[in-house]
Amino acid sequence: MIGLISATAAGAVARDRLATAWPTRVRVYDGPVGDAVRAAFAECDQLVCFLATGAVVRLVAPLLGDKASDPGVVCVDEAGRFAVSLVGGHGGGANELAREVGELLGAEPVVTTATDSAGVPGLDTLGFPVEGDVAGVSRAMLDGEPVVLEAELSWPLPALPPNVGRPAQQGGTAVVRVSDRAHVPADREVVLRPPSLVVGVGASKGAPVDEILGLVEGTLRDAGLSPKSVAELATVDAKADEPGIVGAAEHLGVPVVTYTAEELAKVEVPNPSDAPLAAVGTPSVAEAAALVRGGELLVPKRKSARADGLPAMATCAVVRRTRRGRLAVVGLGPGARDLLTPRAKEELRSASVLVGLDQYVDQIRDLLRPGTRILESGLGAEEERARTAVAEARRGQAVALIGSGDAGVYAMASPALAEASDDIDVVGVPGVTAALAAGAILGAPLGHDHVSISLSDLHTPWEVIERRVRAAAEADIVVTFYNPRSRGRDWQLPKALAILAGHREPTTPVGVVRNASRPDESSRVTTLGSLDPAIVDMMTVVTVGNTATRQIAGRMVTPRGYRWQEEAN
Ligand code: SAH
């Protein structure tokens, strides 16, 4: 919950804008400001104070405890020009909140935490638990000192600045270690704990939480492994609600993941036995559940020890997962920065490797974190880009493969995914494709059924393209042509338009949009009968209306077919 506190009328107006925008996230604290801040500090995860920073500093200073648990505090000035992340930048999420509040109120976010302001990832924001000298090592990273990266596991990490490198290349006393071993960080060392361990657990009905937890923790301790790297407890479906397992998982702060007995029975394990086969239908629960998604068995099945000498009620086994790389296929939108989605921005900022066409890389270079490896190539190198992106992800990297508009529309997503096997995670980030960017400029040409057709016959035989144009013509569907015309490819557009003209009046509106949302954007609405193909090039999309499309006040409108409107006309 975010507590909102204001003192003045202007503050209250800004406060109410947040309250309206985030009805379920915020709570307004009225009354004397001091009491309101104290109450919100005790009750909320975050505070937004429409007050001077000085006033807030005095009020919260006596309340501050630990930066891991204190709420994040953001101050917004009287004029609503700045959203200042005051305390709890990382742990309390105040930096992110300042950005969100800034976006909503049109205020400039002010973030003074060293790592954020330099675009260097804060070591406590990488999404992994971190131990050790976070402040000292972050400082060294930021100051450009050589920092040693000891990656015991190669796990996908976001880009780290170039002064963080392998020991051979980089001397230095500050160390970033990526490890799941129970290693105690030295001075000037941080240990990042990737979620690399899966603990398989079997339990008889009614096995106590303490017995399971004791077994799991003892097993990890004896094997020299860190509980902070445990990603999940894995077991068989039949034990999904076993209170001891659920309780132990809660205590460890990890989810319980379950598999069917049939799935588990297929896994080859070193220590199968008859008891689980009879009880739940698989010769192994702990080892099989830990191993079912692959990985290395670090600790084979162990049984719990019971002081009273009764038979053990729980078993466990520990597997180190095979690292999974990540491939994000990111659409950059048609060009304008504010048509790039926040999610796309986030993926770009967390990538360690960026793959894309050089002209698209230029579009977003300033958003990349220092240290991002950029693999750019020229037009036509699609195969190379697809293969490179997948190969880097398979090596465990966090890869962003970029494309303009939507990366799935006549772009890199399909060639890349055709190369990708199931050993990497893939996420897609949608982007505003050219047809939509153009549609918004033209008016509402896509108000009814529509298709996109690429006129490039580089990869598609012309007969196929022509058949599709004909089908759209016959079905009276609005058509947007991508790749409509280039210097060496000039007869396809007139041919396609002629096919449409066989089924639509010469007065049918046609919208031509060049460089949508880019600095030299231009557009015009003309008609099927009078379109001059010479004004069309490869930076253009051409949208042809259906038989109902009209020009209204200079805009292209395809009726939605509402009866109330048809009757009025
Ligand atoms: N993935 C892209 C399309 C790539 S195909 C997308 O989703 O938009 C390339 C074609 O897209 C170009 O020839 C042009 O027809 C069209 N295009 C891409 N961006 C454009 C823009 N900003 N304005 C107009 N047309 C654009």
Side-chain angles (χ1 to χ4, degrees):
M1 189 55 71
I2 306 173
L4 304 182
I5 298 109
S6 63
T8 64
V13 171
R15 175 197 71 190
D16 292 344
R17 279 175 65 191
L18 289 198
T20 311
W22 299 335
T24 57
R25 287 177 70 191
V26 305
R27 176 140 126 225
V28 171
Y29 284 79
D30 288 319
V33 165
D35 295 342
V37 168
R38 282 183 286 273
F41 199 92
E43 293 163 9
C44 296
D45 312 312
Q46 295 177 317
L47 275 66
V48 180
C49 302
F50 299 89
L51 301 168
T53 49
V56 179
V57 165
R58 284 173 206 289
L59 287 169
V60 302
L63 310 174
L64 293 174
D66 179 345
K67 74 172 182 181
S69 53
D70 283 340
V73 179
V74 169
C75 291
V76 178
D77 64 303
E78 180 76 12
R81 281 186 305 156
F82 303 106
V84 183
S85 166
L86 193 67
V87 290
H90 292 155
N95 292 351
E96 190 46 43
L97 183 61
R99 286 191 196 99
E100 280 188 89
V101 169
E103 194 143 298
L104 211 110
L105 298 179
E108 177 84 14
V110 179
V111 172
T112 56
T113 329
T115 47
D116 281 81
S117 51
V120 170
L123 284 165
D124 49 351
T125 63
L126 298 184
F128 304 147
V130 54
E131 292 166 47
D133 183 8
V134 175
V137 176
S138 299
R139 177 89 264 142
M141 252 167 70
L142 195 66
D143 290 346
E145 262 181 54
V147 175
V148 174
L149 178 66
E150 291 276 9
E152 294 177 14
L153 303 163
S154 72
W155 203 264
L157 296 174
L160 295 166
N163 56 315
V164 182
R166 288 199 196 91
Q169 300 150 349
Q170 225 85 11
T173 55
V175 176
V176 175
R177 184 177 300 278
V178 182
S179 172
D180 55 19
R181 288 186 310 112
H183 163 88
V184 179
D187 283 353
R188 308 253 302 150
E189 179 179 68
V190 293
V191 184
L192 299 178
R193 300 295 189 190
S196 53
L197 303 177
V198 178
V199 181
V201 181
S204 331
K205 199 168 166 53
V209 176
D210 285 350
E211 183 171 338
I212 296 172
L213 197 58
L215 171 66
V216 171
E217 288 179 337
T219 301
L220 292 169
R221 197 177 326 112
D222 293 349
L225 296 168
S226 168
K228 293 205 168 114
S229 273
V230 174
E232 61 202 32
L233 297 191
T235 189
V236 64
D237 277 348
K239 299 291 174 185
D241 301 319
E242 184 62 41
I245 296 181
V246 174
E250 254 168 38
H251 190 92
L252 292 164
V254 299
V256 178
V257 176
T258 65
Y259 301 95
T260 63
E262 296 83 77
E263 266 179 293
L264 297 187
K266 283 191 220 132
V267 181
E268 262 196 51
V269 298
N271 301 295
S273 77
D274 292 336
L277 186 59
V280 288
T282 164
S284 165
V285 173
E287 287 180 348
L291 276 169
V292 65
R293 289 278 173 271
E296 180 194 355
L297 185 64
L298 298 181
V299 185
K301 180 169 77 179
R302 280 187 37 162
K303 290 186 179 167
S304 50
R306 300 197 63 181
D308 50 17
L310 293 170
M313 294 185 81
T315 55
C316 85
V318 185
V319 160
R320 182 177 282 144
R321 298 202 280 195
T322 352
R323 69 205 151 94
R324 286 176 72 81
R326 176 184 170 86
L327 174 63
V329 187
V330 181
L332 301 180
R337 178 54 60 85
D338 58 357
L339 291 180
L340 176 75
T341 65
R343 191 181 295 186
K345 242 183 238 176
E346 205 43 52
E347 283 295 345
L348 296 174
R349 287 183 65 74
S350 58
S352 55
V353 178
L354 184 90
V355 182
L357 187 65
D358 40 18
Q359 71 196 66
Y360 301 149
V361 176
D362 286 340
Q363 208 174 310
I364 45 84
R365 207 179 290 272
D366 61 300
L367 293 174
L368 303 174
R369 289 191 138 135
T372 310
R373 197 144 52 88
I374 300 174
L375 303 173
E376 45 193 322
S377 43
L379 267 176
E382 283 82 15
E383 180 179 344
E384 180 197 327
R385 280 196 289 282
R387 294 234 155 95
T388 307
V390 170
E392 290 290 338
R394 294 183 79 171
R395 288 180 44 214
Q397 301 287 346
V399 181
L401 174 63
I402 58 172
S404 85
D406 184 277
V409 177
Y410 308 123
M412 291 309 298
S414 43
L417 299 199
E419 297 292 315
S421 35
D422 65 1
D423 55 351
I424 59 171
D425 292 328
V426 174
V427 291
V429 181
V432 177
T433 186
L436 299 185
I441 292 164
L442 295 168
L446 309 182
H448 214 292
D449 298 335
H450 53 275
V451 288
S452 293
I453 297 180
S454 167
L455 291 184
S456 167
D457 51 4
L458 212 58
H459 309 291
T460 311
W462 176 253
E463 300 73 61
V464 174
I465 299 172
E466 188 173 317
R467 179 149 43 87
R468 291 176 184 168
V469 175
R470 210 171 285 290
E474 284 163 8
D476 196 25
I477 296 174
V478 175
V479 184
T480 301
F481 290 115
Y482 281 69
N483 301 307
R485 184 170 175 274
S486 67
R487 226 172 296 149
R489 228 170 18 78
D490 58 3
W491 56 264
Q492 288 86 346
L493 179 64
K495 174 91 200 192
L497 293 173
I499 294 171
L500 292 174
H503 295 78
R504 299 176 196 185
E505 295 298 325
T507 53
T508 304
V510 176
V512 179
V513 179
R514 184 166 191 277
N515 279 327
S517 94
R518 296 177 188 149
D520 47 353
E521 167 186 310
S522 64
S523 69
R524 72 173 77 177
V525 180
T526 168
T527 63
L528 204 44
S530 54
L531 171 69
D532 173 11
I535 65 166
V536 175
D537 65 9
M538 280 299 275
M539 310 302 211
T540 310
V541 278
V542 177
T543 298
V544 182
N546 66 15
T547 52
T549 306
R550 297 283 171 268
Q551 265 199 59
I552 298 172
R555 301 183 193 102
M556 192 172 163
V557 180
T558 302
R560 177 81 184 73
Y562 289 116
R563 211 161 286 149
W564 54 269
Q565 237 169 11
E566 304 304 311
E567 278 161 10
N569 286 342

